[in-house]
Amino acid sequence: AQSVTQLDSQVPVFEEAPVELRCNYSSSVSVYLFWYVQYPNQGLQLLLKYLSGSTLVKGINGFEAEFNKSQTSFHLRKPSVHISDTAEYFCAVSRMDSSYKLIFGSGTRLLVRP
Amino acid sequence: NAGVTQTPKFQVLKTGQSMTLQCAQDMNHEYMSWYRQDPGMGLRLIHYSVGAGITDQGEVPNGYNVSRSTTEDFPLRLLSAAPSQTSVYFCASSPWTGESEAFFGQGTRLTVV
């Protein structure tokens, strides 16, 4: 079975500061990795995904994530956040050998303060 | 482009009542799924479908029923609502590959009193 751990339930940060949201996963098989964002009162939308190749993945809105296989991590980073980045961020995995099923972490609420 | 459409957006039910949450997608995706979102627990998979006529259980299927008679529609039925089913429900669809992006509806906020 797969599992995803997001270590921080909430991350407060000042506008224009850098931020890192942490994600660790556990799986007995190779997985695809995703970050989704949920703005208030909306559904989820894809920020970025890692399928293979370069371990540094760039996504929308200036976000990037780095896949570290030895540490089974997929941390999300942004060098300078904006107020509009305030949202909940979810890390997710799906198995490479079958599946279409997304397993989500518990989410991290990013709160950007002026 | 409509994408994934969920109705209703809000619903209040009394304990023991039944209802159906509707989900429709216009992207011809094979895979559809239902999640519930609860504070501190992320999204948990309730049921999923890999095509018309094929459904299976996810992590938290008890108290819910699904069917998939067409590619477009994937309704979720609550058979006898309980307060523990108070949650936000999301429907998602994606093409038939694990590397593909999942598209989510706007959610249904359900309160069971």
Side-chain angles (χ1 to χ4, degrees), chain B residues 39-60:
Chain B
M41 303 189 76
L43 280 78
R44 292 180 292 168
L45 183 63
I46 304 172
H47 285 286
Y48 64 95
S49 168
V50 300
I54 307 169
T55 63
D56 205 347
Q57 297 180 352
E59 303 169 73
V60 288

Side-chain angles (χ1 to χ4, degrees), chain B residues 19-92:
Chain B
M19 78 159 293
T20 299
L21 279 61
Q22 301 292 343
C23 176
Q25 53 98 2
D26 62 359
M27 296 171 283
N28 202 32
H29 287 163
E30 290 295 324
Y31 181 68
M32 296 185 74
S33 53
W34 277 101
Y35 290 87
R36 60 177 289 173
Q37 182 181 21
D38 301 291
M41 303 189 76
L43 280 78
R44 292 180 292 168
L45 183 63
I46 304 172
H47 285 286
Y48 64 95
S49 168
V50 300
I54 307 169
T55 63
D56 205 347
Q57 297 180 352
E59 303 169 73
V60 288
N62 292 341
Y64 307 95
N65 211 350
V66 292
S67 59
R68 182 107 178 261
S69 55
T70 66
T71 299
E72 294 77 22
D73 299 300
F74 190 45
L76 178 72
R77 296 182 189 85
L78 279 70
L79 308 172
S80 177
S84 61
Q85 294 179 302
T86 293
S87 187
V88 181
Y89 292 84
F90 288 99
C91 178

Side-chain angles (χ1 to χ4, degrees), chain A residues 32 34 49 94-102, chain B residues 25 27-33 48-52 54-56 68 71 92-103:
Chain A
Y32 300 118
F34 304 81
K49 60 182 177 181
S94 69
R95 294 170 60 125
M96 280 189 189
D97 62 347
S98 57
S99 184
Y100 41 80
K101 280 193 287 185
L102 274 175
Chain B
Q25 53 98 2
M27 296 171 283
N28 202 32
H29 287 163
E30 290 295 324
Y31 181 68
M32 296 185 74
S33 53
Y48 64 95
S49 168
V50 300
I54 307 169
T55 63
D56 205 347
R68 182 107 178 261
T71 299
S93 76
S94 63
W96 172 247
T97 57
E99 62 189 57
S100 300
E101 175 182 359
F103 294 84

Side-chain angles (χ1 to χ4, degrees), chain A residues 27-38:
Chain A
S27 177
S28 56
V29 300
S30 296
V31 293
Y32 300 118
L33 296 152
F34 304 81
W35 276 99
Y36 283 83
V37 60
Q38 182 182 31

Side-chain angles (χ1 to χ4, degrees), chain A residues 47-60:
Chain A
L47 262 184
L48 49 79
K49 60 182 177 181
Y50 174 77
L51 304 180
S52 65
S54 172
T55 58
L56 184 63
V57 180
K58 294 191 184 299
I60 61 172

